Amino acid sequence: AITAAPIVCSGTTAGTVGALDAYIEVMLEQFDRTQCTLHGSDQGFHVYAIYNGLLQQRNVSVDVVPAGSGAVQNLAGLRPRRSTGTGEMIAHRLVSKTIVPVGGAFRVLNSDGSAAAVVHQFDRFPELSRWVRSRWSQG
């Protein structure tokens, strides 16, 4: 079942020019077929394409890289969630091992403890987002 499959994020798609051309064609075909304009529909199109072999049908190989082990560390999946039972906010168990404060700054780590080369969706964590924005908005 797709619910047991690793999470894939449309915002971290990478590949050769030919593979990305095929990916864009697949995404546009899904939009043309569904006419879905809901915010985030690209994510649904992406998951459907990956787990239903639409790219492989175009001779494009797909590598799904487990969270925390690739070139891109995607932080959205680590956001706190509301407990369905109590409604209280529950932090993801890996946040403290992934987003590490270091002397007024932050390091984002992969599962093996190495520094993440690229951090996607850092804005999901207000303190990290403020730090990144303050650091990179300096002239």
Side-chain angles (χ1 to χ4, degrees):
I2 202 165
T3 56
I7 295 171
V8 292
C9 178
S10 60
T12 59
T13 301
T16 65
V17 171
L20 290 174
D21 279 346
Y23 175 80
I24 290 168
E25 287 176 15
V26 164
M27 295 291 278
L28 289 173
E29 287 170 4
Q30 288 183 84
F31 171 77
D32 289 345
R33 192 174 61 256
T34 65
Q35 294 296 302
C36 183
T37 59
L38 293 173
H39 176 74
S41 60
D42 63 309
Q43 184 61 37
F45 296 161
H46 177 79
V47 170
Y48 184 83
I50 297 299
Y51 289 121
N52 286 283
L54 300 186
L55 293 165
Q56 292 90 332
Q57 292 170 12
R58 294 170 185 252
N59 296 317
V60 174
S61 64
V62 173
D63 292 324
V64 175
V65 179
S69 64
V72 179
Q73 178 61 280
N74 185 349
L75 298 182
L78 300 178
R79 292 184 299 228
R81 302 271 192 242
R82 281 205 187 279
S83 164
T84 53
T86 64
E88 71 179 293
M89 294 301 283
I90 299 174
H92 192 285
R93 62 183 175 79
L94 295 179
V95 169
S96 64
K97 294 179 181 179
T98 304
I99 304 171
V100 181
V102 179
F106 291 91
R107 290 196 72 187
V108 177
L109 305 178
N110 289 317
S111 301
D112 65 0
S114 64
V118 177
V119 178
H120 181 54
Q121 298 181 327
F122 65 85
D123 61 325
R124 299 332 195 245
F125 293 85
E127 193 173 347
L128 176 60
S129 181
R130 280 191 296 278
W131 178 77
V132 169
R133 292 176 196 287
S134 72
R135 179 173 171 85
W136 297 111
S137 65
Q138 297 172 1

